[in-house]
Amino acid sequence: MHLLDAQNITKTFGGLTAVNDVTLTIEKGRIVSVIGPNGAGKTTFFNILTGIYKPDKGTILFDGKPIAGLRSDVIAALGMRRTFQNIRLFNNMTVLENVLVGMHTHLHAPFWQILVRSPGVRREEAKARERARERLAYVGLDAKRDELAKNLPYGDQRRLEIARALAGEPKLILLDEPTAGMNPQETDAATELIRRLRDELGLTVVLIEHDMRLVMAISERISVLDYGTKIAEGDAATIRSNPRVIEAYLGKGAAGAAA
Amino acid sequence: MAAEVKAQASSSSGQRSFTEVLRTVFGPVGQLILFIVGSALALSLVVVLLALLQIGARPDILTRALTILPQVIIDGLVRGFLFASIALGYTMVYGVLEFINFAHGEIFMVGGVVGAAVSLFLASSGLLAGMPGLLFVILVIAVGMVVSGALAVTVERVAYRPLRGAPRLVPLISAIGVSLVLQDLMRLMMTNTPLGFNARFNTPDFGPPIRLFEMNLGARPVPVILPPKALIFIVASVLMLIALNYLVNATRLGKAIRATAQDMPTASLMGINVNQIVALTFLIGGALGGAAGALFGLNVGTVNPYMGFIPGLKAFTAAVLGGIGNITGAMVGGVVLGFLEAFVASYLSLFTNGAFSGAAYADIAAFSILILILIFRPSGLLGEATTQKV
Amino acid sequence: MTTTASSVSAWERIKTALTSGPSGYGFMVLYAAVCSWLLLTNPRTNLNTDIVFVLFLLLVLLVYRSQLVLGFKLALVAVMLALVLPIFGTLNPFYIDVATQAGIFIALALGLNVVVGFAGLLDLGYVAFFAVGAYLWGILSTPQITLINPAWSPVPPIMFYPFILIGLAVGAFFGVLLGLPVLRLRGDYLAIVTLGLGEVIRVLANNLDRPINITNGSQGIRDIERPPLIFAGFVRDTLGWQLSDQQLYQQFFYFAILLIVLLVVVVVGRLKGSRIGRAWEAIREDETAAIAQGIPLVRMKLLAFAVGASFAGAMGVVFASKQLFINPPTFDLLRSINILSMVILGGMGSIPGVIFGAVLVTLLDLQILPRIANVLRDAQRAGLPIPAAFDPTQYQRLLFGLLLILMMIFRPQGIMPDERRKEELQEHDSIPDAIEHAKIPDTESEVGLK
């Protein structure tokens, strides 16, 4: 069964068609990349999947449930989590607290019990902290748990965003340019982390990425968007040899990578 | 869009046909007149309908309602232009900085107080009685504009500019502070001078009320009168609105303001001194507010340091109603709100047989409109399509 | 910096000596004893007592900031606030009234802090909920209720106690009612709309004497009931204190409000440290990112609004009963601004900061400004050129206005900002480390507001 099944998604802003009749299906346990030149509609597509925008047309099934038009927080609670292209952490909260916020949908202490701080609440809170620290340890940030998120170096901020997304125990994780602005070593570490998410945690991962080395190295399937339309789909080899892709994107991309 | 491109092309060549200027300047005025006539007609219709609904129980209600109708419309016009001229200050600043200048109502108030001070000076030096009415009006408006404009620029420099780029609510809180400080500073000054807390705004004699026409309703014909002060208020406001339209839509300075409102960083890269433009926006908005304050004081006869607060809030409502950031919208919003308030104030009591006092509930009506507009149509009456951000 | 290093460390040494270790205990006890002695032996209202009273309150702050054993801190504060201050109150009614007022405003400011400080929603009409609670008790406990319907009769005064809870619920209800339509709005619009709503409530209070007299309009409601003095026999016979009814009521309201404030502090503190508090903070920091974590935006904002409003509603009941009289101007915009100033002055989101802000503003209002007014009057009589119509107590707008502007420009995070890492650093029990961290200046003037 497909974990995500988005059919014929279309979204227009005024006169501009940002996403045009795009279909994307993802099987459980896969690493899938969505690539395309800047402005191709990749992030808009993510925003539609996560409920920030409502699609004008099309259906989205997530784990068998229709989610098109649902509120963002409801979709997140169903187990779809994301990171943001331009890192959106809770800057003035600590690293640990950021992860705890990510666990919000899994904490159920009732209001009145919080007020009396019942044993149940204390247990839940202690467990949450422990779990959050596990998640931080998983991405290698446990030592920095008491620092403010804004004081972390750039690469750590990216990893914290992933830890926060992991805290929601997602089935599907959407990573929007997880290595943007990283140096080669950091990119390698990030690639490794993404692979581990799937191999060790069994997560399904969708990536938006510009770094072709990373895309080609870890994606099992690649979808290419250009001007809001899906122009190609397939494994790395297929995409590499697809003339439309080369024309629209890889030609420039390959030249850039070579240089 | 097309009009803008054309305007650009023609101004770059330095030539600009007279008819084109007329169109950019009077186009918005046409829109304004449309909304004035429209809302007056619509509200009058509502009044007649409500009267007809009650006519079984109270046979005289239609006559009573119609008797006061022309006066309500004049009142609505005066209120409308008052809100419009204050709303312009809000909307221009919002257009450029995306910031609600909460203290703008106090800038308006200062204009009124300064006008009262001028009138007190003239009265005590014996010049007032013999002064031509027109000269007096021009004098108080000019003084009000200068002082309020300068004050607005000072406030921007001292209390807002250091906070540019801070989270949105930080300058807003500072603006609330400015509003309170100005209220009490003016009170301090007024109560320690001959002005007093409730300062009289003396004027020369503007002559008897103008009888426009007579309505034949029932027993006696009812005269429809236009007080000369109301006429002054309306004429002066319309002239100011036209002048502002000319400034913003047909001059180089106006183009710089519009460019800054569109995109501040880019405008700055194009060689526009953004700080200067922001100051200019405050100057223009403040001057308009000051003029409105002087006119308001002249019309009402007294001013006090707290008189700016509620009109300020309502003018903000008007700006939102018309579509904040949109100059024509602010005028339209002001006029529509003014009519609505005048009708509620005059007819609520009549139609509920005195159970509710219209004057108090007019305020509630205004705030309800603000809330409803923000919830259901945050882009305002003129909406996105014709939005001309300052 | 390096040239003053020795003097700084000397200052640090003195500070450490006075706030920790054996010398710290000695200093605190001595300080408390001297202040108490001065207050109890010289209870007349004058400038000297004012100063001692302020020093007395300052001690609470010092104890809170010191590094002494928690039990000692609590015991010392308890003795001061629950023993010395009430006894002083029997000698001089003015200062205990100031303390009671401060308590009311602490509770209100902490409630507003949930909305503004925790969730980042600028509410300029907060006093509306206070008004709702006050009018609730004002109308239902007095013959005003018979004007609404002659068949109804006032509730007995003993119902005051359950009505505190009813005020809580009614406040929360109004919070949801007013919040529901407006909480989707962007921050600055929300501020203006809540201001409008606050004005609407005040206008209604002013005008709902017609067609049915519900609020008695601008006349206000008089002779609001106080709860019966059930403990009067105990105090007079068992303890042998011959206090008048007036004094007993003062003591009653002082202790009642002290208790409420304690409860509010505990509640607010627990919310802050819970999943709910974290969700509020996340919303304040970045709404889009918060939704992406599955946080239901509107529901959490409504909860913040309701919690803040419920405190105001409950305090309204107590306030009406204590004041005996309420009218619409009691609940004007200036009061909302007043409470907002407390939150901003102390530090948005910081519980100790907000308490500090509330006490400071109340002292300014009730003690310091009137004292300055006296000084100015004397100076004027002595022939100094002071404007005749200048009475500082009448210029609160000027004061709070300046305060808001200056705080926003120079210290938007408040005087005592939230120290989020303190607790966790103390877990490690490494004092030098803690000092190291505490000294890092927060140069960014961020207050999580958008």
Side-chain angles (χ1 to χ4, degrees):
Chain A
M1 192 181 99
H2 296 305
L3 180 62
L4 184 78
D5 182 1
Q7 294 286 340
N8 311 100
I9 304 297
T10 298
K11 176 78 192 171
T12 58
F13 296 104
L16 177 83
T17 304
V19 175
N20 188 9
D21 200 32
V22 171
T23 291
L24 182 74
T25 57
I26 296 166
E27 274 168 59
K28 231 179 153 99
R30 289 290 168 87
I31 297 179
V32 175
S33 289
V34 178
I35 63 170
N38 283 327
K42 305 179 300 286
T43 297
T44 306
F45 188 64
F46 263 28
N47 285 342
I48 292 169
L49 291 182
T50 52
I52 293 178
Y53 300 141
K54 229 175 141 159
D56 297 330
K57 272 195 223 112
T59 57
I60 309 170
L61 291 181
F62 175 56
D63 209 12
K65 285 187 214 63
I67 58 164
L70 289 185
R71 280 204 326 261
S72 251
D73 56 286
V74 177
I75 294 174
L78 287 173
M80 189 194 298
R81 290 295 166 98
R82 68 174 294 180
T83 64
F84 293 89
Q85 192 177 342
N86 48 345
I87 309 183
R88 303 188 81 143
L89 290 168
F90 305 118
N91 278 326
N92 291 300
M93 298 174 84
T94 65
V95 167
L96 185 74
E97 283 171 326
N98 266 275
V99 180
L100 284 168
V101 171
M103 298 172 74
H104 183 83
T105 53
H106 295 272
L107 301 178
H108 303 288
F111 183 74
W112 65 271
Q113 281 196 16
I114 288 174
L115 297 190
V116 298
R117 196 170 280 169
S118 69
V121 171
R122 266 179 286 180
R123 241 190 337 266
E124 185 183 81
E125 191 69 9
K127 227 154 103 196
R129 277 169 193 273
E130 195 184 317
R131 190 103 184 91
R133 286 186 61 177
E134 279 172 31
R135 290 310 192 192
L136 283 174
Y138 191 78
V139 300
L141 282 175
D142 189 42
K144 298 185 173 175
R145 63 181 176 278
D146 291 336
E147 292 201 26
L148 292 188
K150 67 176 175 196
N151 295 338
L152 290 187
Y154 183 80
D156 285 353
Q157 293 199 354
R158 287 259 178 229
R159 282 191 290 165
L160 176 55
E161 248 202 326
I162 292 177
R164 183 177 70 181
L166 288 181
E169 314 281 340
K171 297 171 188 142
L172 175 68
I173 184 165
L174 308 175
L175 304 175
D176 197 346
E177 299 196 24
T179 68
M182 285 185 173
N183 63 34
Q185 287 84 3
E186 286 174 323
T187 303
D188 287 344
T191 312
E192 188 49 36
L193 177 61
I194 293 166
R195 214 195 295 271
R196 279 168 60 212
L197 294 182
R198 197 268 309 271
D199 294 349
E200 296 175 10
L201 303 178
L203 278 178
T204 311
V205 181
V206 185
L207 283 175
I208 290 177
E209 192 46 78
H210 281 299
D211 187 321
M212 282 309 129
R213 208 160 53 93
L214 182 150
V215 169
M216 295 301 166
I218 62 171
S219 324
E220 279 133 13
R221 228 159 41 109
I222 300 169
S223 297
V224 187
L225 294 189
D226 190 25
Y227 292 110
T229 314
K230 188 167 83 180
I231 56 170
E233 191 168 37
D235 60 16
T238 323
I239 294 300
R240 239 187 237 120
S241 56
N242 184 314
R244 279 189 75 188
V245 176
I246 294 168
E247 183 194 322
Y249 185 84
L250 266 186
K252 281 179 281 172
Chain B
M1 273 304 211
E4 208 167 85
V5 173
K6 213 156 85 186
Q8 253 168 11
S10 59
S11 82
S12 60
S13 63
Q15 294 291 316
R16 184 184 269 275
S17 78
F18 183 63
T19 50
E20 210 171 298
V21 172
L22 277 187
R23 188 144 27 97
T24 41
V25 174
F26 288 97
V29 176
Q31 216 168 357
L32 184 62
I33 292 172
L34 206 73
F35 269 93
I36 291 176
V37 175
S39 42
L41 277 181
L43 287 167
S44 305
L45 203 66
V46 171
V47 164
V48 171
L49 281 177
L50 283 174
L52 288 177
L53 279 178
Q54 291 196 5
I55 206 155
R58 300 160 69 192
D60 66 332
I61 193 159
L62 185 61
T63 325
R64 284 176 64 187
L66 288 179
T67 310
I68 57 172
L69 184 62
Q71 244 52 62
V72 174
I73 290 177
I74 292 173
D75 179 33
L77 267 181
V78 171
R79 284 178 196 242
F81 280 115
L82 170 69
F83 295 153
S85 13
I86 309 175
L88 284 168
Y90 279 108
T91 227
M92 288 185 63
V93 167
Y94 196 92
V96 172
L97 289 178
E98 293 222 344
F99 155 66
I100 301 174
N101 181 12
F102 195 86
H104 189 60
E106 275 58 47
I107 300 287
F108 156 82
M109 173 272 289
V110 167
V113 173
V114 169
V118 170
S119 97
L120 179 76
F121 170 77
L122 291 175
S124 60
S125 57
L127 291 170
L128 189 67
M131 202 171 191
L134 188 64
L135 181 66
F136 175 79
V137 172
I138 291 173
L139 185 66
V140 290
I141 290 181
V143 174
M145 285 179 96
V146 168
V147 174
S148 288
L151 181 66
V153 172
T154 313
V155 163
E156 191 273 330
R157 186 70 195 81
V158 173
Y160 306 153
R161 197 180 296 175
L163 302 174
R164 212 179 285 164
R168 202 184 271 276
L169 290 188
V170 169
L172 178 62
I173 293 173
S174 180
I176 293 169
V178 172
S179 158
L180 297 171
V181 166
L182 287 180
Q183 285 177 11
D184 259 6
L185 274 184
M186 283 322 278
R187 182 160 68 103
L188 186 62
M189 282 199 233
M190 291 170 77
T191 49
N192 285 291
T193 56
L195 279 171
F197 181 84
N198 271 308
R200 282 178 56 84
F201 200 118
N202 296 303
T203 59
D205 189 12
F206 290 118
I210 305 153
R211 287 172 86 102
L212 293 178
F213 55 90
E214 292 191 342
M215 290 193 300
N216 290 308
L217 294 164
R220 278 184 302 137
V222 182
V224 175
I225 51 174
L226 176 64
K229 286 177 178 177
L231 181 66
I232 292 171
F233 195 106
I234 294 170
V235 171
S237 316
V238 171
L239 288 178
M240 287 193 315
L241 299 189
I242 292 174
L244 181 74
N245 259 310
Y246 175 76
L247 180 76
V248 172
N249 287 324
T251 63
R252 275 176 62 90
L253 218 53
K255 199 193 281 174
I257 295 180
R258 279 179 290 149
T260 311
Q262 283 275 323
D263 187 340
M264 201 183 272
T266 309
S268 150
L269 288 175
M270 296 294 127
I272 295 172
N273 182 339
V274 169
N275 276 336
Q276 236 170 48
I277 293 300
V278 169
L280 183 72
T281 311
F282 273 88
L283 179 72
I284 297 171
L288 279 172
L295 282 167
F296 177 78
L298 179 150
N299 195 28
V300 175
T302 66
V303 293
N304 72 60
Y306 297 154
M307 74 173 189
F309 188 74
I310 294 290
L313 266 186
K314 286 180 183 164
F316 174 75
T317 305
V320 172
L321 182 63
I324 194 151
N326 178 332
I327 288 186
T328 316
M331 299 183 203
V332 166
V335 165
V336 172
L337 188 71
F339 272 122
L340 215 101
E341 231 193 64
F343 274 81
V344 172
S346 306
Y347 285 110
L348 184 68
S349 174
L350 178 68
F351 286 126
T352 57
N353 215 355
F356 294 98
S357 110
Y361 287 92
D363 287 358
I364 293 189
F367 294 131
S368 311
I369 286 175
L370 174 64
I371 295 168
L372 292 177
I373 284 284
L374 282 176
I375 293 169
F376 294 108
R377 196 176 161 79
S379 56
L381 281 180
L382 296 196
E384 295 288 11
T386 54
T387 293
Q388 156 217 21
K389 248 181 113 198
V390 177
Chain C
M1 278 308 240
T2 45
T3 53
T4 57
S6 62
S7 70
V8 168
S9 71
W11 165 241
E12 286 292 329
R13 265 205 301 278
I14 296 173
K15 218 169 96 182
T16 315
L18 294 182
T19 56
S20 60
S23 53
Y25 292 101
F27 170 70
M28 293 297 171
V29 170
L30 188 69
Y31 186 147
V34 170
C35 277
S36 307
W37 182 77
L38 284 173
L39 284 182
L40 296 176
T41 56
N42 191 9
R44 276 215 312 264
T45 307
N46 57 32
L47 186 59
N48 290 337
T49 317
D50 275 359
I51 294 169
V52 178
F53 184 66
V54 170
L55 289 175
F56 182 84
L57 294 178
L58 200 63
L59 176 58
V60 179
L61 181 66
L62 284 180
V63 171
Y64 164 76
R65 302 276 271 195
S66 68
Q67 272 141 22
L68 304 174
V69 174
L70 186 64
F72 171 80
K73 289 191 192 181
L74 289 177
L76 189 59
V77 170
V79 167
M80 286 162 55
L81 292 186
L83 200 66
V84 176
L85 211 146
I87 294 175
F88 175 51
T90 62
L91 304 173
N92 182 327
F94 173 67
Y95 293 98
I96 194 168
D97 193 55
V98 171
T100 310
Q101 294 272 9
I104 290 175
F105 282 111
I106 289 172
L108 289 174
L110 284 172
L112 183 61
N113 184 45
V114 170
V115 184
V116 179
F118 290 178
L121 309 164
L122 185 55
D123 179 0
L124 296 177
Y126 183 64
V127 81
F129 308 118
F130 189 47
V132 166
Y135 270 95
L136 178 76
W137 180 246
I139 292 168
L140 294 186
S141 78
T142 62
Q144 181 69 29
I145 184 112
T146 57
L147 298 177
I148 300 173
N149 184 340
W152 295 340
S153 56
V155 297
I158 189 75
M159 290 296 282
F160 171 77
Y161 300 101
F163 259 80
I164 296 178
L165 290 181
I166 295 174
L168 199 81
V170 171
F173 171 76
F174 269 81
V176 173
L177 193 74
L178 297 189
L180 208 52
V182 303
L183 281 176
R184 280 168 223 275
L185 298 177
R186 220 182 48 203
D188 48 356
Y189 282 176
L190 178 75
I192 306 285
V193 167
T194 50
L195 187 152
L197 286 175
E199 285 294 291
V200 166
I201 296 273
R202 192 181 58 82
V203 171
L204 283 179
N206 223 338
N207 289 285
L208 277 183
D209 50 347
R210 285 187 308 158
I212 304 166
N213 188 346
I214 300 175
T215 63
N216 210 24
S218 56
Q219 306 276 303
I221 299 175
R222 286 173 193 291
D223 300 326
I224 297 170
E225 284 295 339
R226 296 186 286 201
L229 287 168
I230 37 179
F231 50 90
F234 172 76
V235 173
R236 285 179 186 143
D237 304 339
T238 317
L239 297 179
W241 287 346
Q242 295 312 311
L243 301 178
S244 69
D245 276 8
Q246 187 56 35
Q247 281 175 317
L248 277 178
Y249 272 120
Q250 269 197 332
Q251 298 283 329
F252 166 72
F253 281 111
Y254 174 76
F255 277 104
I257 286 165
L258 187 64
L259 193 70
I260 292 175
V261 166
L262 281 179
L263 276 174
V264 167
V265 170
V266 168
V267 162
V268 170
R270 291 195 168 162
L271 283 175
K272 187 179 158 85
S274 74
R275 67 178 175 93
I276 295 172
R278 284 194 299 265
W280 283 336
E281 209 175 340
I283 290 172
R284 193 187 75 186
E285 290 280 312
D286 186 335
E287 287 195 2
T288 307
I291 307 175
Q293 313 312 316
I295 293 171
L297 211 58
V298 171
R299 202 190 307 162
M300 293 313 290
K301 286 184 178 178
L302 266 183
L303 184 63
F305 232 61
V307 169
S310 66
F311 293 168
M315 277 331 271
V317 171
V318 180
F319 177 79
S321 176
K322 176 187 170 291
Q323 295 298 105
L324 307 171
F325 168 67
I326 51 171
N327 63 353
T330 318
F331 307 103
D332 64 359
L333 173 71
L334 195 60
R335 184 78 67 171
S336 286
I337 300 282
N338 199 326
I339 303 169
L340 182 68
S341 312
M342 299 171 182
V343 175
I344 287 173
L345 187 70
M348 280 178 273
S350 153
I351 296 172
V354 168
I355 296 174
F356 175 71
V359 173
L360 190 63
V361 169
T362 312
L363 285 179
L364 260 178
D365 240 1
L366 297 179
Q367 256 192 298
I368 299 170
L369 285 184
R371 194 60 70 191
I372 294 173
N374 277 342
V375 171
L376 284 181
R377 255 196 301 279
D378 290 347
Q380 199 188 322
R381 265 189 230 112
L384 288 173
I386 309 280
F390 183 64
D391 174 357
T393 55
Q394 298 302 308
Y395 283 85
Q396 292 174 327
R397 287 163 197 260
L398 189 63
L399 177 77
F400 293 125
L402 279 176
L403 209 112
L404 291 180
I405 301 170
L406 294 176
M407 289 304 290
M408 285 302 107
I409 294 179
F410 296 109
R411 206 174 161 84
Q413 74 275 31
I415 295 177
M416 284 173 60
D418 199 16
E419 293 172 57
R420 76 171 44 263
R421 285 171 300 159
K422 201 175 166 196
E423 181 192 341
E424 294 181 90
L425 285 168
Q426 276 175 349
E427 264 174 32
H428 301 311
D429 243 340
S430 58
I431 300 299
D433 194 41
I435 291 169
E436 194 70 25
H437 277 270
K439 273 199 289 193
I440 295 169
D442 195 6
T443 45
E444 286 186 49
S445 59
E446 282 186 47
V447 281
L449 289 175
K450 287 177 289 290

